[in-house]
Amino acid sequence: MSFKRLLSLDIMRGMTIVCMIIVNNGGGPDNYMHLEHSEWNGITVCDLVFPFFLFIMGMTTYLSLGKRNFDRSSPTIRKILKRTILILFIGWAIHWFANVCYGNGWLDFGHLRLTGVLTRIALCYGIVSFMALYMSRRTMAITAGILLAVYGAMLLLYNGYANDTTNINALIDRWLLPEGHLYTKRPVDPEGVLGTIPSVAHTIIGFCCGAILMKKERLDGRLLQLFVVAMLLMVGGFILSGILPENKRIWSPSYVLITCGMAAALLSTISYFTDIKGYRKGWTFFEAFGVNPLFLYVLGDIAGIVLGATHAKRPIYEWILGWSQIPELASAIYAVSLMLVCGAVAYPLYRRRIYIKI
């Protein structure tokens, strides 16, 4: 099984990484509303970034395993396990590095956050990859529906919309994880253990959309099918939000459907203009980020930690604030500047066709 590489996938993945670096690295306490996550229910632009990445990861998982004809051989299984474990340990290493930079001891592993963005990425990648090897696409789609239904029922039955420690997500985290390893910024961890259930369903939806995009049909027909699926997902999500409001912090079922629909619609639109109409110029910036996504995400995280721990962040932000006069603008300029520094690393790698696989 061979697939033609679609420029649109790299572009959208690059857009996602650019936005992830920006929203993770605000310079000051005040940010524009859409560069902040929603306080609870609702969706901001910031709330679209991580789900878009999971959706694209689901699609590229289909492409990666499809090239091997979903072969269950030992090399394929070893590759999946190796990548899953590597992403997990990189995520934990970043948390350890941050703890060390901010004054904890080098051997203090008792306050290491075990959950997080990379932990969720690793678990979703590993689980969905093994499902793809041993399940049909139809069974995977049904499984995604069951996971969302079960998780939605748990939210309704066990206080899943309470923004406090009585929330089922918070209770499960406190039951499974030692106190020192818990998320401490809010009562409910946005990447908590239970939230892995809908996140896996989210990644499966991306995987199934990848199967649509890679059918042996004309690309315009495939994109139309993908766009129709996108509309159905969004409509279904908005209808479901009347019962289960969209909520990024608990990764609610309506949030899954709405953001997957938005991601599919955006991808089909980009692909129409780049892969069908041939408007391929002017996308290099995002493509450079898209071919080394996880490496650049990690680089952005480490740069943000170092700037904060060395106290360089504050004077840079205050200097920007001195001439911009608007706290929200100064914070955004700082974040964009850090992203551009990462871009200065991304572009030479892209030009030399150096792909750092994580």
Side-chain angles (χ1 to χ4, degrees):
M1 188 182 296
S2 61
F3 299 128
K4 179 182 176 182
R5 189 179 186 94
L6 295 177
L7 176 62
S8 53
L9 282 171
D10 287 333
I11 291 171
M12 184 167 165
R13 187 164 47 195
M15 288 178 171
T16 303
I17 294 301
V18 165
C19 291
M20 287 177 89
I21 294 172
I22 291 173
V23 301
N24 286 346
N25 292 284
D30 299 308
N31 292 292
Y32 290 114
M33 180 184 72
H34 284 292
L35 292 181
E36 292 274 7
H37 291 295
S38 55
E39 283 299 318
W40 193 240
N41 292 338
I43 297 177
T44 68
V45 173
C46 184
D47 293 325
L48 299 178
V49 179
F50 191 15
F52 276 27
F53 186 87
L54 279 188
F55 178 86
I56 289 291
M57 186 179 74
M59 298 194 81
T60 54
T61 299
Y62 180 88
L63 270 63
S64 175
L65 294 177
K67 290 176 182 176
R68 297 168 175 255
N69 292 310
F70 300 97
D71 176 33
R72 302 173 190 171
S73 64
S74 295
T76 300
I77 292 172
R78 281 198 299 270
K79 181 180 179 181
I80 293 170
L81 287 173
K82 179 181 176 182
R83 190 163 190 250
T84 300
I85 293 170
L86 179 61
I87 296 172
L88 274 174
F89 275 94
I90 289 173
W92 294 336
I94 290 173
H95 294 311
W96 169 82
F97 180 70
N99 286 344
V100 171
C101 287
Y102 284 100
N104 290 349
W106 287 83
L107 298 178
D108 181 11
F109 297 106
H111 296 89
L112 186 68
R113 185 187 173 199
L114 297 179
T115 58
V117 170
L118 288 177
T119 300
R120 179 160 289 182
I121 288 172
L123 293 175
C124 289
Y125 166 76
I127 292 169
V128 173
S129 293
F130 279 113
M131 290 174 69
L133 295 183
Y134 295 97
M135 290 183 180
S136 68
R137 307 297 88 76
R138 178 182 174 83
T139 304
M140 288 180 70
I142 293 171
T143 301
I146 292 171
L147 290 176
L148 291 178
V150 169
Y151 182 67
M154 293 175 72
L155 293 180
L156 291 174
L157 293 172
Y158 300 105
N159 222 19
Y161 277 91
N163 191 9
D164 55 43
T165 54
T166 67
N167 188 300
I168 181 65
N169 286 272
L171 291 174
I172 292 294
D173 285 345
R174 282 159 176 74
W175 179 52
L176 292 176
L177 303 175
E179 184 176 352
H181 299 291
L182 292 170
Y183 180 78
T184 57
K185 293 181 181 179
R186 289 180 178 86
V188 180
D189 186 344
E191 288 88 37
V193 176
L194 193 62
T196 305
I197 294 174
S199 299
V200 167
H202 192 118
T203 310
I204 292 172
I205 294 172
F207 181 91
C208 293
C209 287
I212 294 172
L213 196 57
M214 294 302 149
K215 285 181 176 179
K216 292 182 179 179
E217 300 175 8
R218 284 171 54 93
L219 181 57
D220 54 357
R222 287 178 271 154
L223 291 180
L224 179 59
Q225 291 178 51
L226 184 61
F227 195 79
V228 169
V229 169
M231 294 301 105
L232 292 173
L233 287 169
M234 281 192 282
V235 169
F238 283 119
I239 292 172
L240 183 60
S241 67
I243 303 171
L244 295 161
E246 61 272 26
N247 187 307
K248 190 265 181 190
R249 297 192 185 278
I250 58 174
W251 217 273
S252 66
S254 60
Y255 174 76
V256 170
L257 297 179
I258 291 169
T259 55
C260 281
M262 288 180 172
L266 177 60
L267 179 64
S268 57
T269 302
I270 294 172
S271 187
Y272 174 77
F273 286 106
T274 58
D275 300 311
I276 292 181
K277 290 298 185 180
Y279 300 129
R280 304 174 75 86
K281 293 183 179 179
W283 298 102
T284 302
F285 179 80
F286 294 116
E287 192 180 358
F289 277 87
V291 296
N292 282 304
L294 286 178
F295 168 73
L296 293 167
Y297 172 79
V298 171
L299 178 64
D301 259 13
I302 292 175
I305 291 167
V306 170
L307 287 169
T310 58
H311 305 293
K313 177 179 178 178
R314 186 68 187 176
I316 294 172
Y317 166 74
E318 289 179 348
W319 176 76
I320 297 171
L321 181 61
W323 55 264
S324 70
Q325 299 298 312
I326 303 172
E328 293 85 356
L329 179 61
S331 183
I333 291 173
Y334 175 92
V336 170
S337 299
L338 193 148
M339 178 273 296
L340 291 175
V341 170
C342 294
V345 176
Y347 186 70
L349 294 176
Y350 167 77
R351 291 286 294 175
R352 292 173 173 78
R353 297 182 183 275
I354 298 173
Y355 307 131
I356 302 173
K357 297 188 184 272
I358 295 179

